Amino acid sequence: MSILVNKDTRLLVQGITGNEGNFHATQMAAYGTSIVAGVTPGKGGEWALDGKVPVFDSVKLAAEATGANASVIFVPARFAADAIFEAADAGLDLIVCITEGVPVKDMMRVRAYIDQLETRLLGPNCPGILTPGEAKVGIIPGNIAIPGNVGAVSRSGTLTYEVLYALKEKGMGASTCVGIGGDPVNGTNFIDVLEMFENDPATDKVVMLGEIGGTDEEQAAEFIATKMTKPVAAFIAGQTAPPGKRMGHAGAIIQAGSGKAEDKIKALEEAGVRVAKHPEELPDLLG
Amino acid sequence: MKIHEYQSKRIFEKYGVPIPGGDVAVSPKEAYDIAKDLGGKVIVKSQVLVGGRGKAGGVKLANSPEEAEKYASDILGMDIKGLTVRKVLIDEASNIANEIYLGITNDREKKMPVMMVSAEGGVEIEEVARVTPEKIIKVHINPLLGLQGYQMRDIAASIELPRKNWKEFGVIASGLWQAYNNSDATLAEINPLIITAEETLLAVDGKMLIDDSALFRQKDIAEMRDLDLETESEIIARENDLAYIQLDGEIGCMVNGAGLAMTTMDIVTLFGGTAANFLDIGGGANAEKVSAAFRIILSDPNVKAVLINIFGGITRGDEVAKGILEAIEEVKPEVPMVVRLVGTNAEEGRALLADADMITAETLAEAAQKAVAVAKEA
């Protein structure tokens, strides 16, 4: 078991003929993910990944022909919202948007629309999902994690790799690792993923990687305190970040005194979460 | 991206928001001419991208073109919070009966824009929010629908705006929303929106922030970028697509990924050091980017050691190593360097760096401790 993706996931790749899309589709296929289709408007009828994956002009055509139930998006930022709307309207269950730099206005429109649908959106500006040994959807390097019972959820990319790697070094594996992305308006937040982990029989404990900006971690703390039985360990990045500056991620900014690391750490500790001083401590805190 | 008051007000005006007559001057003589055209009684306002201009003496009421010229001469060249005033806005003076705050920003939690209004305008809205939050009225705007007529009427009523001004207020609120939405703003604010002695509404001050991610489709606004605001390092960073923020510590950091870059700063501090910067070289960084990052870090005279922390994923360790070697050749750094390479092609990267004079580390904690130690020795 796992959450969001597994060996039965039938994935289509939006932007499969682009540089990044092609590179990562190849990596995902090599990991064992079942990639059933690619979509690039204007290139329908071609084949990608050495002639193994058919390319379609639209998500709707691709889904009808191949039974795809999930999509991963690698299109440029200016086309990302359109790609998400297209995947949502084609009725896919899961949309993972890797693209960084999507205008926040586009994301607010996306949320206002897809919140009325059953589709789940992950990202944008996220590394995607890895269920070790089963499937990877996105760009998380497959070799840094082994199957196990730790669920991981994070707003960051390479910091997540760091923690998966630290777990692996201690012989600990992950049930599923989910990157929710570093943008201020995204599709899935900590609480959504924590709830899935709480209900997943394959997950026994959870590691959560937050950062400055917004109040998602505080809300997660409230959820952990009231709804979760599984132990959670966390790390919050940006403890030394100056206020008012956007720290690389569009969402990583302390504004008008809100979004500080110390507030998040305090809220999590009060909820019984063990908060690490640095990410390499996390395996020990998970015990 | 920040834009100036006069630029924000010109955008508002395009959407039907009434603003005072006025123009921008870059010399006292120009200020005199503009003031004369406006009838003599004007406000001379410094155009710098920081708050607190008034307190710093950067806003003056002039009763004649001669006074306007004198104040412009005082204010032009003035230093306000580290920024030099290069332009002044000369606005027709208004007779203020009442001040209102009207602004729009994005509500991160609700994931939609929110219009905020307060009958107590003219003061810092953050201060009102802190001391008397009940005095701020918030109305969320569904991004698929836009601001609705009833919402504007509700706002007008809730701040007890005289009924005779409701229609005018509707034009202004709707204009501000359109300016916000069409410009990809993350903040658009009129503070104050005044009720004049003649009982009409006028936007006497304006402020806008624009979403950097949307500048590709806001070409006119992108051209308003004030290069005075950026240091040379920041310009190099922007041109090379690096996320860089200068800090005041001693250890220069070069990291891939924003979360890991913040973590690296944090861990340097945890082990008793101080970070000189935040620098994310991004995913898929190549030798050219790494070299630019190096030049930026080493141009900071406070830097006593450099810590390079790369977790290869999309970014390949050997590419980073090549960039480091190129940069060393070019910049000839005299400070010690600690390198940690993990992940994709890390082995190849480490082999390339074996002959270079660098300190290597296996874990993040070890790398930070070594960097702190060598920075202290320096």
Side-chain angles (χ1 to χ4, degrees):
Chain A
M1 278 290 286
S2 56
I3 67 167
L4 292 165
V5 299
N6 57 32
K7 55 186 180 343
D8 300 323
T9 299
R10 295 177 64 78
L11 185 69
L12 73 79
V13 180
Q14 287 174 263
I16 196 166
T17 56
N19 263 341
E20 281 201 41
N22 179 57
F23 175 80
H24 290 292
T26 308
Q27 303 277 319
M28 288 186 276
Y31 194 78
T33 313
S34 161
I35 299 183
V36 297
V39 173
T40 299
K43 296 204 173 169
E46 295 183 14
W47 291 79
L49 270 53
D50 295 329
K52 293 192 203 82
V53 176
V55 179
F56 296 84
D57 280 321
S58 77
V59 176
K60 187 163 181 283
L61 290 171
E64 280 170 1
T66 65
N69 59 5
S71 171
V72 61
I73 295 174
F74 286 100
V75 307
R78 63 185 68 195
F79 308 122
D82 184 60
I84 296 170
F85 285 131
E86 184 182 1
D89 280 344
L92 301 186
D93 300 329
L94 174 70
I95 304 167
V96 177
C97 184
I98 306 299
T99 309
E100 181 178 358
V102 182
V104 67
K105 176 171 113 176
D106 294 3
M107 281 315 302
M108 290 190 297
R109 293 169 62 84
V110 162
R111 273 300 296 263
Y113 182 67
I114 65 165
D115 281 0
Q116 306 165 33
L117 309 176
E118 293 296 313
T119 301
R120 169 159 300 285
L121 170 68
L122 190 72
N125 190 14
C126 80
I129 314 166
L130 176 68
T131 294
E134 293 199 34
K136 88 163 188 160
V137 173
I139 63 176
I140 301 174
N143 59 357
I144 58 170
I146 51 175
N149 64 354
V150 179
V153 57
S154 171
R155 275 170 70 184
S156 165
T158 47
L159 176 58
T160 316
Y161 310 167
E162 189 76 66
V163 172
L164 289 175
Y165 181 72
L167 288 171
K168 185 183 168 188
E169 292 280 289
K170 293 272 165 91
M172 297 167 81
S175 52
T176 299
C177 171
V178 184
I180 59 174
D183 274 8
V185 176
N186 55 12
T188 294
N189 61 26
F190 280 125
I191 294 181
D192 302 322
V193 182
L194 290 173
E195 187 173 15
M196 289 182 235
F197 280 140
E198 175 70 14
N199 296 329
D200 173 34
T203 302
D204 292 330
K205 38 198 158 184
V206 177
V207 60
M208 172 182 152
L209 304 170
E211 64 189 31
I212 56 162
T215 53
D216 277 7
E217 289 82 359
E218 284 87 334
Q219 289 164 23
E222 161 103 35
F223 179 84
I224 292 164
T226 55
K227 304 272 170 61
M228 277 189 83
T229 58
K230 297 176 182 175
V232 181
F235 174 74
I236 303 294
Q239 296 171 41
T240 56
K245 301 277 186 190
R246 223 169 268 286
M247 307 300 285
H249 285 156
I253 180 168
I254 299 168
Q255 281 167 311
S258 169
K260 286 188 278 191
E262 58 189 83
D263 296 341
K264 295 174 187 296
I265 291 169
K266 186 163 172 276
L268 287 165
E269 282 179 340
E270 281 171 7
V273 175
R274 305 179 77 176
V275 182
K277 288 198 175 64
H278 66 81
E280 286 162 341
E281 281 184 358
L282 283 165
D284 290 338
L285 293 186
L286 283 169
Chain B
M1 190 183 101
K2 293 176 180 175
I3 59 174
H4 286 291
E5 174 198 356
Y6 75 92
Q7 294 165 329
S8 305
K9 273 157 55 176
R10 282 178 188 171
I11 293 173
F12 295 167
E13 189 183 28
K14 261 191 7 200
Y15 293 96
V17 175
I19 62 169
D23 209 346
V24 175
V26 295
S27 71
K29 173 72 177 58
E30 276 180 26
Y32 177 91
D33 292 341
I34 296 165
K36 201 169 169 216
D37 285 347
L38 292 172
K41 197 177 175 189
V42 295
I43 317 236
V44 182
K45 306 176 90 176
S46 54
Q47 298 295 293
V48 280
L49 295 171
V50 287
R53 294 173 299 165
K55 274 184 205 149
V59 179
K60 296 275 188 209
L61 175 67
N63 287 303
S64 67
E66 289 76 18
E67 254 184 48
E69 184 175 11
K70 183 191 169 293
Y71 287 137
S73 147
D74 293 347
I75 293 171
L76 285 165
M78 184 188 263
D79 179 285
I80 300 181
K81 296 183 183 170
L83 295 175
T84 307
V85 182
R86 300 191 191 279
K87 287 174 186 161
V88 286
L89 173 64
I90 312 296
D91 260 0
E92 205 170 359
S94 331
N95 299 314
I96 302 176
N98 235 320
E99 297 183 295
I100 297 163
Y101 172 93
L102 181 65
I104 306 176
T105 189
N106 291 334
D107 184 333
R108 262 177 96 144
E109 258 179 58
K110 295 232 169 16
K111 320 246 179 246
M112 56 176 77
V114 57
M115 180 169 265
M116 295 184 297
V117 193
S118 169
E120 303 204 356
V123 290
E124 287 273 324
I125 196 68
E126 288 85 2
E127 190 59 18
V128 180
R130 200 174 59 81
V131 184
T132 48
E134 70 282 0
K135 288 188 177 161
I136 299 176
I137 287 126
K138 291 185 177 178
V139 173
H140 286 91
I141 303 170
N142 182 320
L144 300 178
L145 298 179
L147 185 67
Q148 300 297 297
Y150 80 90
Q151 295 181 304
M152 297 183 262
R153 293 192 297 275
D154 282 356
I155 292 168
S158 65
I159 56 166
E160 293 175 15
L161 188 76
R163 286 218 172 107
K164 62 174 295 197
N165 295 114
W166 281 23
K167 199 173 160 196
E168 244 181 304
F169 180 78
V171 171
I172 292 169
S174 153
L176 187 66
W177 160 247
Q178 285 172 50
Y180 181 87
N181 195 40
N182 294 351
S183 310
D184 275 293
T186 55
L187 175 80
E189 113 186 333
I190 304 172
N191 188 24
L193 172 68
I194 64 163
I195 305 179
T196 64
E198 297 78 30
E199 299 179 345
T200 58
L201 299 178
L202 190 65
V204 299
D205 203 349
K207 184 177 175 185
M208 278 184 111
L209 297 178
I210 310 296
D211 179 4
D212 289 311
S213 296
L215 290 176
F216 70 83
R217 64 185 177 204
Q218 298 292 345
K219 299 238 156 50
D220 293 351
I221 294 176
E223 279 175 18
M224 294 177 189
R225 186 185 292 280
D226 188 338
L227 293 176
D228 276 1
L229 265 190
E230 291 183 319
T231 62
E232 201 186 322
S233 293
E234 286 167 342
I235 292 170
I236 299 174
R238 182 162 51 77
E239 285 170 354
N240 286 280
D241 211 8
L242 304 166
Y244 168 75
I245 290 161
Q246 181 160 8
L247 305 167
D248 50 15
E250 297 181 341
I251 297 173
C253 301
M254 181 162 95
V255 188
N256 66 325
L260 190 57
M262 279 189 272
T263 303
T264 305
M265 288 161 44
D266 293 348
I267 197 167
V268 160
T269 309
L270 181 68
F271 289 115
T274 50
N277 63 273
F278 165 93
L279 198 158
D280 169 15
I281 59 171
N286 53 24
E288 203 176 313
K289 268 186 155 185
V290 172
S291 171
F294 236 103
R295 272 181 284 138
I296 292 170
I297 292 172
L298 294 170
S299 69
D300 177 351
N302 292 333
V303 168
K304 294 205 174 118
V306 178
L307 169 54
I308 301 165
N309 182 25
I310 304 294
F311 203 110
I314 330 173
T315 309
R316 290 163 35 193
D318 54 336
E319 276 287 329
V320 174
K322 276 182 211 156
I324 294 172
L325 291 174
E326 261 175 44
I328 289 177
E329 192 64 28
E330 192 187 316
V331 193
K332 307 226 184 310
E334 286 167 11
V335 296
M337 288 182 285
V338 179
V339 187
R340 175 183 179 245
L341 279 182
V342 196
T344 312
N345 293 6
E347 287 294 326
E348 292 87 334
R350 281 196 287 261
L352 283 170
L353 293 177
D355 294 335
D357 184 18
M358 304 182 102
I359 303 158
T360 56
E362 292 288 324
T363 67
L364 179 52
E366 186 194 346
Q369 280 164 320
K370 284 183 168 170
V372 172
V374 292
K376 286 208 169 127
E377 278 167 28

